[in-house]
Amino acid sequence: MATTKDLKNKLATKKENKAPSTGVTLKSLLQSQTVKSRLEEVLGKRASQFATSILNLYSSEAALQKCEPMSIISSAMVAATLDLPVDKNLGYAWIIPYGNKAQFQLGYKGYIQLALRTGQYKSINVIEVYEGELKKWNRLTEEFEIDFDGKKSDAVIGYAAYFELINGFRKTVYWTKEEVEKHRKRFSKSDYGWKQDWDAMAKKTVLKNMLSKWGILSIEMQKAFSEDEETREVKDITDEAQELETIDGEAVELTEDEEPKEEEKPSAFEQESFDIE
């Protein structure tokens, strides 16, 4: 049985160790009863499959392997509550590494999926506009004319988004590539997502802006917008750390007479979150 002093020493040693967390630690967290119960509560029978997708993502991302496992689980739980996959190839939601912390980020396909779930959208889309395609654009009404047969090259000059509600209301917006870049420089705290897929991030920026101004937002969509903001408050999804702390894949139990005081108990899923537009 480990004493409080032993636990603090191990935690201190772990903090000083700059080596990335191992997959064993992440796997141990996913196999803990608290996390498993939380995933099952949110996803039901799909919980096991979702946990496997987190491990697959972790093993395929070298940068993500440098992140604290706790932050990866916390970020994944955001996607789980929105019922969106974290497979980066699908583009609905991502777990993005920022230094040694993981961050949830919603993709433009995720915004489209959440909009369609409301039952209020007849259609919704966002696309790249190539050189030669844009024929007319009214900055006041935001109406534009695109001739897809007029494409002259693969050079992207802008991004167009559109939706139509079942009540007949329609909205279109167009951003030049320069406008998107200006927005990126002003609001983005990291270039990671933009370096991975600039066009996907640009389409997300245009679509998100359009929906926030003109769209019908369900409770689920409002939650998604909140989670995808620049700064989010820390989320703690488990109290398991009060009884059990996993250190390098080994469970260390505290003796009853030497449990740390309430203010000294480590929080299992503390996470600072930063996002990019």
Side-chain angles (χ1 to χ4, degrees):
M1 302 290 283
T3 65
T4 304
K5 183 177 181 180
D6 293 333
L7 177 58
K8 287 183 176 180
N9 288 338
K10 286 195 175 185
L11 288 172
T13 301
K14 188 178 182 182
K15 287 182 179 180
E16 292 175 359
N17 185 0
K18 296 183 180 181
S21 301
T22 65
V24 175
T25 302
L26 179 63
K27 186 175 182 180
S28 298
L29 290 172
L30 288 171
Q31 291 178 341
S32 69
Q33 189 56 49
T34 301
V35 174
K36 289 173 65 176
S37 296
R38 179 63 174 136
L39 285 173
E40 289 171 359
E41 177 186 341
V42 175
L43 299 172
K45 295 181 179 180
R46 292 171 294 154
S48 178
Q49 180 181 358
F50 189 81
T52 300
S53 69
I54 297 174
L55 286 173
N56 290 339
L57 177 65
Y58 179 85
S59 62
S60 66
E61 281 281 351
L64 200 59
Q65 293 168 17
K66 299 178 182 178
C67 295
E68 296 176 4
M70 299 289 187
S71 67
I72 297 175
I73 299 293
S74 183
S75 299
M77 283 305 306
V78 177
T81 57
L82 293 172
D83 196 12
L84 293 173
V86 293
D87 186 336
K88 62 181 180 180
N89 296 316
L90 297 178
Y92 288 97
W94 303 310
I95 299 177
I96 303 294
Y98 292 113
N100 66 342
K101 297 283 187 178
Q103 160 78 41
F104 166 82
Q105 185 178 345
L106 195 62
Y108 78 90
K109 292 181 181 179
Y111 276 109
I112 291 176
Q113 179 64 219
L114 295 178
L116 293 177
R117 288 181 192 174
T118 67
Q120 298 296 320
Y121 292 81
K122 182 177 180 180
S123 60
I124 181 172
N125 199 13
V126 58
I127 62 172
E128 302 95 339
V129 177
Y130 296 96
E131 181 184 16
E133 290 183 336
L134 184 66
K135 300 303 179 183
K136 186 184 301 183
W137 174 37
N138 187 317
R139 292 182 60 225
L140 177 61
T141 64
E142 295 190 286
E143 295 179 340
F144 54 85
E145 180 182 340
I146 295 179
D147 178 11
F148 294 107
D149 294 328
K151 180 180 177 181
K152 296 181 179 179
S153 71
D154 291 330
V156 176
I157 62 171
Y159 300 86
Y162 160 85
F163 74 73
E164 180 180 359
L165 300 178
I166 58 174
N167 64 12
F169 176 75
R170 298 181 181 183
K171 184 60 185 176
T172 58
V173 297
Y174 174 77
W175 287 35
T176 65
K177 191 169 185 177
E178 290 72 23
E179 286 176 315
V180 174
E181 175 64 11
K182 182 178 179 180
H183 187 277
R184 181 192 69 81
K185 290 181 177 179
R186 181 179 179 183
F187 294 105
S188 297
K189 291 187 176 182
S190 170
D191 286 335
Y192 184 88
W194 295 90
K195 290 179 179 178
Q196 296 295 311
D197 194 333
W198 207 97
D199 285 331
M201 290 300 299
K203 287 190 284 188
K204 170 192 168 177
T205 299
V206 175
L207 184 65
K208 178 180 178 181
N209 183 270
M210 177 181 67
L211 289 174
S212 65
K213 290 182 177 180
W214 304 98
I216 293 179
L217 305 181
S218 64
I219 299 298
E220 187 180 41
M221 289 184 71
Q222 292 176 42
K223 173 180 173 60
F225 271 83
S226 176
E227 295 291 354
D228 201 37
E229 288 299 321
E230 289 284 344
T231 303
R232 301 196 306 273
E233 65 180 81
V234 172
K235 297 186 181 300
D236 188 349
I237 66 170
T238 178
D239 294 325
E240 188 175 19
Q242 294 180 357
E243 301 174 357
L244 191 67
E245 178 71 12
T246 301
I247 302 178
D248 296 331
E250 177 185 359
V252 180
E253 187 179 354
L254 297 176
T255 59
E256 293 183 3
D257 59 338
E258 294 193 9
E259 285 192 0
K261 296 180 181 179
E262 185 66 27
E263 62 270 20
E264 294 178 345
K265 293 181 181 181
S267 176
F269 286 86
E270 286 188 355
Q271 171 189 0
E272 289 182 7
S273 298
F274 301 95
D275 195 11
I276 54 180
E277 290 287 333

